[in-house]
Structure formats: structure tokens, C-alpha cells
Amino acid sequence: MRQWLPSSPPAAQGHGSLAVAGMVQRLGEPGFAGGLLEELAPVLPAASWSVYRTGQRCKPTLFMSASRGVPDTTQDCWWAYLSGPYRQDRTWGRSFEDMPAEPLTRLCHVAASEVEGEHRARVYEAHGVAERVSVVDYESDGSVFAVNFYRHQHQAAFRDGQISDFEALAPVLLALARKHIALARPQAVPLLPEESTEPAVLPALAALPQGVPALRERLLRLQPDLTDRELDVCARVLQGMTHEGIAADLGLGVPTVKTYRNRAFARMGIHFRNELFAKVLGR
């Protein structure tokens, strides 16, 4: 694993210029996550990517993810990450307890073989991920905001030139991710009570089945009158996704996602996310 400071990017040329133009055009649109991978492919042919925040003093949040040319298992990867590895993630080159004096941006490059046992087995090997490059903001509370691109096992290793091109684009990619999140999450919409920090529900993820189909099946056994959309939404809630992430994944508006969630919760006689975990786990 290596880390380094991003350099001042030169004027974008060739494929990089076209990629940036395409990404900017997609900002704020529902298909941004998948579109960005397409636009970036001539520069960095990643099979999947994700944007998330993680750390000991924040609620781990997956903001967006997508795959290209492979089945999209990014949500399952996130679930697997939350099932335990996120607590001891050493791939960022520092402990979450080490708070920088001021926010700091770094580039990271790690091969699956360099990732520690449980993390490597559950997230990388289980989903065919072989390599990751990231641009990361280390924030003042010790958390990291990370924009990650993954090579899968069927692909050739990232070449030095591709990593160099990624380095030149990294500040732009970081800014685009933050801007898209801001555009996709209206600031006027308040967070519901259970959308604040809920560390107590995160260990419960380890006891849940992987994948939306298995979660839908378990929910349907518990509450047979749930509609397809209510099952879709609740399964993704159980995967740790935010309302914004669910909306992007299903192609719905955030208010519509909340409506389906509220209807499902009413059918089950619950009100909060932690009650959904308890019900599904039979507690």
C-alpha cells in the first residue's frame, strides 16, 4: 500500500478533458454514479466505484456506488464492510483515532493482498475485487471521506500511466463527488431521528443475509402484505443505505422512498430503523 499527496493537476488533455466534461454534464442526475464510470473508463478502467464516509466518530454512510461490465455487488460490499471490517480498517494508513490538526487530502493505492484478513476475505475476495485507488479527505474528527475506484480480478492491473492520470484527475473527482451529493441531497430535508448516529444497529448487520433477494425473502416471511416497492426499500435500509442512496439505486425521489418506508413500517407496527433490524433478527 502506498500513499502520496496529490499534485497540482496540469491542464486536462485528451481523454481526461473529455471525461471531465462528461462527468460535469451528469452532475445531479440519477444516473451520475454509473455515468461517471463510463466517462472515466478511457482514463481509469475501473469495474466499480464507491463514495463513502467512515470512521469511529461518524455514522458510516455510502453516498453512491456503481459497477461497469460486472454484476453490481457494491451494496453487498458495503454491507460486508459494515459487518465488522470498517471498525479496524487500516487501508487508510492511519488509525481513526488519529485526528489530523486540519483536514488533509491523500491519494491511496492498495492491492487486495495488502488488506488484512477479515477485511480482505469479506469485502475483496468475496466480491472479486483485486485493487483500489482512492482520493481521500482525512477530516478533523478522524473520519475519512473517500472516493474509491476498484479493479476486479478479471481485469489487468492498473498501469503506472493510468494511476498517474488518476492522480491528475483526483481533485476534480473529489469535488464532483461532493457536489453531486450536495445536489442530490436537498439541505431543506431534515434527517429523521434514526438517521442520526445509530452505532447499535451496525453489529446486527453481521447476522443478516447478503443481497437484496435474501433480505426481501426474509421480510416477506415476516410481513406477507408488503408490496414489491416496500420490500425493495426495506431491504436496502437493512443494507445500511441512506434514503438518498436508495432513491438513486431505485430511480425514485427521496420523498417517494420515505413514503414506501413509512408504509412498510406502519404495516409492521414499527417506527424506527433499529426496530426494523430487531424485527428481522427476531429480537
Side-chain angles (χ1 to χ4, degrees):
M1 180 176 68
R2 63 189 179 102
Q3 294 181 295
W4 67 104
L5 289 169
S7 59
S8 299
Q13 297 178 359
H15 291 310
S17 179
L18 293 174
V20 170
M23 293 177 218
V24 171
Q25 288 293 326
R26 296 175 184 268
L27 269 175
E29 296 180 357
F32 175 79
L36 185 141
L37 271 185
E38 291 289 340
E39 301 290 351
L40 192 63
V43 180
L44 185 76
S48 59
W49 81 303
S50 65
V51 181
Y52 59 73
R53 176 177 287 112
T54 187
Q56 302 292 0
R57 295 178 176 83
C58 72
K59 175 189 175 183
T61 302
L62 177 66
F63 295 103
M64 69 187 91
S65 65
S67 294
R68 176 180 178 273
V70 295
D72 189 1
T73 60
T74 53
Q75 303 295 338
D76 289 339
C77 284
W78 179 245
W79 178 90
Y81 184 62
L82 288 186
S83 70
Y86 87 98
R87 296 181 182 279
Q88 303 296 328
D89 187 354
R90 301 184 188 280
T91 64
W92 305 117
R94 64 171 61 219
S95 167
F96 287 135
E97 300 299 322
D98 297 334
M99 294 185 290
E102 57 185 33
L104 183 66
T105 300
R106 283 273 196 259
L107 300 177
C108 298
H109 178 205
V110 60
S113 59
E114 298 175 284
V115 180
E116 294 184 352
E118 181 189 23
H119 188 175
R120 180 178 67 251
R122 290 194 183 189
V123 179
Y124 285 76
E125 293 175 350
H127 301 96
V129 179
E131 189 177 5
R132 187 194 81 208
V133 290
S134 307
V135 54
V136 183
D137 274 347
Y138 296 100
E139 302 186 327
S140 57
D141 64 353
S143 64
V144 297
F145 177 87
V147 179
N148 313 288
F149 295 88
Y150 305 94
R151 175 178 68 84
H152 287 224
Q153 291 171 357
H154 71 282
Q155 297 176 290
F158 290 141
R159 300 191 303 271
D160 289 345
Q162 291 170 335
I163 294 175
S164 178
D165 289 341
F166 169 74
E167 177 181 356
L169 286 175
V172 176
L173 294 168
L174 186 62
L176 285 170
R178 287 192 178 276
K179 186 63 175 179
H180 179 74
I181 292 166
L183 291 172
R185 173 182 290 183
Q187 296 301 313
V189 178
L191 294 176
L192 296 178
E194 71 272 26
E195 289 180 311
S196 59
T197 303
E198 268 191 294
V201 305
L202 294 176
L205 288 165
L208 290 174
Q210 292 192 25
V212 167
L215 291 169
R216 281 173 53 100
E217 181 180 348
R218 182 171 291 196
L219 286 162
L220 200 56
R221 287 201 303 266
L222 287 169
Q223 196 69 38
D225 60 346
L226 290 172
T227 68
D228 283 343
R229 274 308 194 196
E230 289 165 0
L231 289 167
D232 287 338
V233 168
C234 286
R236 286 162 174 79
V237 168
L238 289 167
Q239 287 186 316
M241 293 178 66
T242 64
H243 288 145
E244 290 74 17
I246 296 171
D249 198 39
L250 295 177
L252 302 173
V254 172
T256 303
V257 168
K258 291 182 178 181
T259 296
Y260 284 127
R261 190 209 71 150
N262 291 342
R263 287 178 183 172
F265 281 18
R267 294 184 201 276
M268 290 185 278
I270 60 177
H271 298 89
F272 301 114
R273 188 177 308 204
N274 59 345
E275 294 177 285
L276 177 64
F277 279 93
K279 192 173 185 71
V280 171
L281 292 168
R283 295 177 180 176

Coordinates of all heavy atoms in Angstrom, one line a residue, residues 76-116:
D76 N -23.5 -5.0 -1.6 CA -23.1 -6.2 -0.8 C -21.7 -5.9 -0.2 O -21.5 -6.3 0.9 CB -23.1 -7.4 -1.6 CG -24.5 -7.9 -2.0 OD1 -25.5 -7.5 -1.3 OD2 -24.6 -8.6 -3.0
C77 N -20.8 -5.3 -1.0 CA -19.5 -5.0 -0.4 C -19.7 -4.0 0.8 O -19.0 -4.2 1.8 CB -18.7 -4.3 -1.5 SG -18.0 -5.4 -2.7
W78 N -20.5 -3.1 0.7 CA -20.8 -2.1 1.8 C -21.3 -2.8 3.0 O -20.9 -2.6 4.1 CB -21.7 -1.0 1.3 CG -22.0 0.0 2.4 CD1 -23.2 0.3 2.9 CD2 -21.1 1.0 3.0 NE1 -23.1 1.3 3.9 CE2 -21.8 1.7 3.9 CE3 -19.7 1.2 2.8 CZ2 -21.2 2.7 4.7 CZ3 -19.1 2.2 3.6 CH2 -19.9 2.9 4.5
W79 N -22.3 -3.7 2.8 CA -22.8 -4.5 3.9 C -21.7 -5.3 4.5 O -21.7 -5.4 5.8 CB -23.9 -5.4 3.3 CG -24.5 -6.3 4.4 CD1 -25.6 -6.0 5.2 CD2 -24.1 -7.6 4.8 NE1 -25.8 -7.1 6.1 CE2 -24.9 -8.0 5.8 CE3 -23.0 -8.4 4.4 CZ2 -24.7 -9.3 6.4 CZ3 -22.8 -9.6 5.0 CH2 -23.7 -10.0 6.0
A80 N -20.9 -6.0 3.7 CA -19.8 -6.8 4.3 C -18.8 -5.9 5.1 O -18.3 -6.3 6.1 CB -19.1 -7.5 3.2
Y81 N -18.6 -4.7 4.6 CA -17.7 -3.8 5.2 C -18.2 -3.4 6.6 O -17.5 -3.4 7.6 CB -17.5 -2.6 4.4 CG -16.5 -1.5 4.8 CD1 -15.1 -1.8 5.0 CD2 -16.9 -0.2 5.1 CE1 -14.2 -0.9 5.4 CE2 -16.0 0.8 5.5 CZ -14.7 0.4 5.7 OH -13.8 1.4 6.1
L82 N -19.5 -3.1 6.6 CA -20.1 -2.7 7.9 C -20.3 -3.9 8.9 O -20.5 -3.6 10.1 CB -21.5 -2.1 7.7 CG -21.6 -0.7 7.0 CD1 -23.1 -0.3 7.0 CD2 -20.8 0.3 7.7
S83 N -20.2 -5.1 8.4 CA -20.4 -6.2 9.3 C -19.2 -6.4 10.2 O -19.3 -7.3 11.1 CB -20.6 -7.5 8.5 OG -19.4 -7.9 7.8
G84 N -18.2 -5.6 10.2 CA -17.1 -5.7 11.1 C -15.8 -5.0 10.6 O -15.2 -4.3 11.4
P85 N -15.4 -5.2 9.4 CA -14.1 -4.7 8.9 C -14.0 -3.2 9.1 O -12.8 -2.7 9.3 CB -14.0 -5.1 7.5 CG -14.8 -6.4 7.4 CD -15.9 -6.2 8.4
Y86 N -15.0 -2.4 8.9 CA -14.9 -1.0 9.0 C -14.3 -0.5 10.3 O -13.7 0.6 10.4 CB -16.3 -0.3 8.7 CG -17.1 -0.1 9.9 CD1 -17.2 1.1 10.6 CD2 -17.9 -1.1 10.4 CE1 -18.0 1.3 11.7 CE2 -18.7 -0.9 11.6 CZ -18.7 0.3 12.2 OH -19.5 0.5 13.3
R87 N -14.5 -1.2 11.4 CA -14.1 -0.8 12.7 C -12.5 -0.8 12.8 O -12.0 0.0 13.5 CB -14.7 -1.7 13.8 CG -16.2 -1.6 13.9 CD -16.7 -2.5 15.0 NE -18.1 -2.4 15.1 CZ -18.8 -1.5 15.7 NH1 -18.2 -0.5 16.2 NH2 -20.2 -1.5 15.7
Q88 N -11.9 -1.7 12.0 CA -10.4 -1.8 12.1 C -9.8 -1.6 10.8 O -8.7 -2.2 10.5 CB -10.1 -3.2 12.7 CG -10.7 -3.5 14.0 CD -10.2 -2.6 15.1 OE1 -9.0 -2.2 15.1 NE2 -11.0 -2.4 16.1
D89 N -10.4 -0.8 9.9 CA -9.9 -0.6 8.6 C -8.5 0.1 8.6 O -8.5 1.3 9.0 CB -10.9 0.2 7.8 CG -10.5 0.3 6.3 OD1 -9.4 -0.1 5.9 OD2 -11.3 0.8 5.5
R90 N -7.5 -0.5 8.2 CA -6.1 0.1 8.2 C -5.6 0.4 6.8 O -4.5 0.8 6.6 CB -5.1 -0.9 8.9 CG -5.5 -1.3 10.3 CD -4.5 -2.2 10.9 NE -4.9 -2.7 12.2 CZ -4.9 -2.0 13.4 NH1 -4.4 -0.8 13.4 NH2 -5.3 -2.5 14.5
T91 N -6.5 0.4 5.8 CA -6.1 0.7 4.5 C -6.0 2.1 4.2 O -5.6 2.5 3.1 CB -7.1 0.1 3.4 OG1 -8.4 0.7 3.6 CG2 -7.2 -1.4 3.6
W92 N -6.3 3.0 5.2 CA -6.2 4.4 5.0 C -4.8 4.9 5.6 O -4.6 6.1 5.5 CB -7.3 5.2 5.7 CG -8.6 4.7 5.2 CD1 -9.6 4.0 5.9 CD2 -9.1 4.7 3.9 NE1 -10.7 3.7 5.1 CE2 -10.4 4.1 3.8 CE3 -8.6 5.2 2.7 CZ2 -11.2 4.0 2.7 CZ3 -9.4 5.1 1.5 CH2 -10.6 4.5 1.5
G93 N -4.0 4.0 6.1 CA -2.7 4.4 6.5 C -2.6 5.1 7.9 O -1.6 5.6 8.3
R94 N -3.8 5.2 8.6 CA -3.8 5.8 9.9 C -5.0 5.3 10.7 O -6.0 4.8 10.1 CB -3.9 7.4 9.8 CG -5.2 7.8 9.1 CD -5.4 9.3 9.2 NE -4.3 10.0 8.6 CZ -3.7 11.1 9.0 NH1 -4.2 11.7 10.2 NH2 -2.7 11.7 8.4
S95 N -4.9 5.3 12.0 CA -6.0 4.9 12.8 C -7.1 6.0 12.8 O -6.8 7.2 12.7 CB -5.5 4.7 14.3 OG -6.6 4.6 15.2
F96 N -8.3 5.6 13.0 CA -9.4 6.5 13.0 C -9.3 7.4 14.3 O -9.9 8.4 14.4 CB -10.8 5.8 13.0 CG -11.1 5.3 11.7 CD1 -11.7 4.0 11.6 CD2 -11.0 6.0 10.5 CE1 -12.0 3.5 10.3 CE2 -11.3 5.5 9.3 CZ -11.9 4.2 9.2
E97 N -8.5 6.9 15.3 CA -8.3 7.7 16.5 C -7.4 8.8 16.3 O -7.3 9.7 17.1 CB -7.8 6.7 17.6 CG -8.7 5.6 18.0 CD -10.1 6.1 18.5 OE1 -10.1 7.1 19.2 OE2 -11.1 5.5 18.1
D98 N -6.6 8.8 15.2 CA -5.6 9.8 15.0 C -6.3 11.0 14.2 O -6.5 10.9 13.0 CB -4.4 9.3 14.1 CG -3.7 8.2 14.9 OD1 -3.7 8.2 16.1 OD2 -3.0 7.3 14.2
M99 N -6.6 12.0 14.9 CA -7.3 13.1 14.3 C -6.3 14.1 13.7 O -5.4 14.6 14.5 CB -8.2 13.8 15.2 CG -9.4 12.9 15.7 SD -10.6 13.8 16.7 CE -9.6 14.0 18.2
P100 N -6.3 14.5 12.5 CA -5.3 15.5 11.9 C -5.6 16.8 12.5 O -6.8 17.2 12.8 CB -5.6 15.4 10.4 CG -7.0 14.9 10.3 CD -7.2 14.0 11.4
A101 N -4.6 17.7 12.6 CA -4.8 19.0 13.1 C -5.7 19.8 12.2 O -6.5 20.7 12.6 CB -3.4 19.7 13.2
E102 N -5.7 19.5 10.9 CA -6.6 20.1 9.9 C -6.9 19.1 8.8 O -6.2 18.1 8.6 CB -6.0 21.4 9.3 CG -4.6 21.1 8.7 CD -4.0 22.4 8.2 OE1 -4.2 23.5 8.9 OE2 -3.3 22.4 7.2
P103 N -8.0 19.3 8.1 CA -8.3 18.4 7.0 C -7.2 18.2 6.0 O -6.5 19.1 5.7 CB -9.6 19.0 6.3 CG -10.2 19.8 7.4 CD -9.0 20.4 8.2
L104 N -7.0 17.0 5.5 CA -5.9 16.6 4.7 C -6.3 15.7 3.6 O -7.1 14.8 3.8 CB -4.8 15.9 5.6 CG -3.5 15.5 4.9 CD1 -2.7 16.8 4.6 CD2 -2.7 14.7 5.9
T105 N -5.9 16.0 2.4 CA -6.2 15.1 1.2 C -5.1 14.2 0.8 O -3.9 14.7 0.8 CB -6.6 16.0 0.0 OG1 -7.8 16.8 0.4 CG2 -7.0 15.1 -1.2
R106 N -5.4 13.0 0.6 CA -4.3 12.0 0.2 C -4.9 11.1 -0.9 O -6.1 10.9 -1.1 CB -4.0 11.1 1.4 CG -3.1 11.7 2.5 CD -1.7 11.5 2.1 NE -0.8 11.8 3.3 CZ -0.1 12.9 3.5 NH1 -0.2 13.9 2.6 NH2 0.6 13.0 4.6
L107 N -3.9 10.6 -1.7 CA -4.2 9.5 -2.6 C -3.8 8.2 -2.0 O -2.7 8.1 -1.4 CB -3.5 9.8 -4.0 CG -3.9 11.1 -4.7 CD1 -3.0 11.3 -5.9 CD2 -5.3 11.2 -5.0
C108 N -4.5 7.1 -2.3 CA -4.2 5.8 -1.7 C -4.3 4.8 -2.8 O -5.1 4.9 -3.7 CB -5.2 5.4 -0.6 SG -5.2 6.5 0.8
H109 N -3.4 3.8 -2.8 CA -3.4 2.7 -3.7 C -3.1 1.5 -2.9 O -2.1 1.3 -2.3 CB -2.3 2.9 -4.8 CG -2.2 1.8 -5.8 ND1 -1.0 1.6 -6.5 CD2 -3.1 0.9 -6.2 CE1 -1.2 0.5 -7.3 NE2 -2.5 0.1 -7.2
V110 N -4.0 0.5 -3.0 CA -3.8 -0.7 -2.2 C -4.3 -1.9 -3.0 O -5.3 -1.9 -3.8 CB -4.6 -0.7 -0.9 CG1 -6.1 -0.5 -1.2 CG2 -4.4 -1.9 0.0
A111 N -3.5 -3.0 -3.0 CA -3.9 -4.3 -3.6 C -4.6 -5.1 -2.6 O -4.4 -5.0 -1.3 CB -2.6 -5.0 -4.1
A112 N -5.4 -6.0 -3.0 CA -6.2 -6.9 -2.1 C -5.3 -7.7 -1.2 O -5.6 -7.9 0.0 CB -7.1 -7.8 -2.9
S113 N -4.1 -8.1 -1.7 CA -3.2 -8.9 -0.9 C -2.6 -8.1 0.3 O -2.1 -8.7 1.3 CB -2.0 -9.4 -1.7 OG -1.3 -8.2 -2.3
E114 N -2.7 -6.8 0.3 CA -2.2 -5.9 1.4 C -3.3 -5.7 2.4 O -3.0 -5.1 3.5 CB -1.8 -4.6 0.8 CG -0.6 -4.7 -0.2 CD -0.3 -3.4 -0.8 OE1 -1.0 -2.9 -1.7 OE2 0.8 -2.8 -0.3
V115 N -4.5 -6.1 2.2 CA -5.6 -5.8 3.1 C -5.6 -6.9 4.1 O -5.4 -8.1 3.8 CB -7.0 -5.8 2.4 CG1 -8.1 -5.5 3.3 CG2 -6.9 -4.7 1.3
E116 N -5.9 -6.6 5.4 CA -5.9 -7.6 6.5 C -7.0 -8.6 6.4 O -8.0 -8.3 5.8 CB -5.9 -6.9 7.8 CG -4.6 -6.0 8.1 CD -4.6 -5.4 9.4 OE1 -5.6 -5.5 10.2 OE2 -3.5 -4.8 9.8

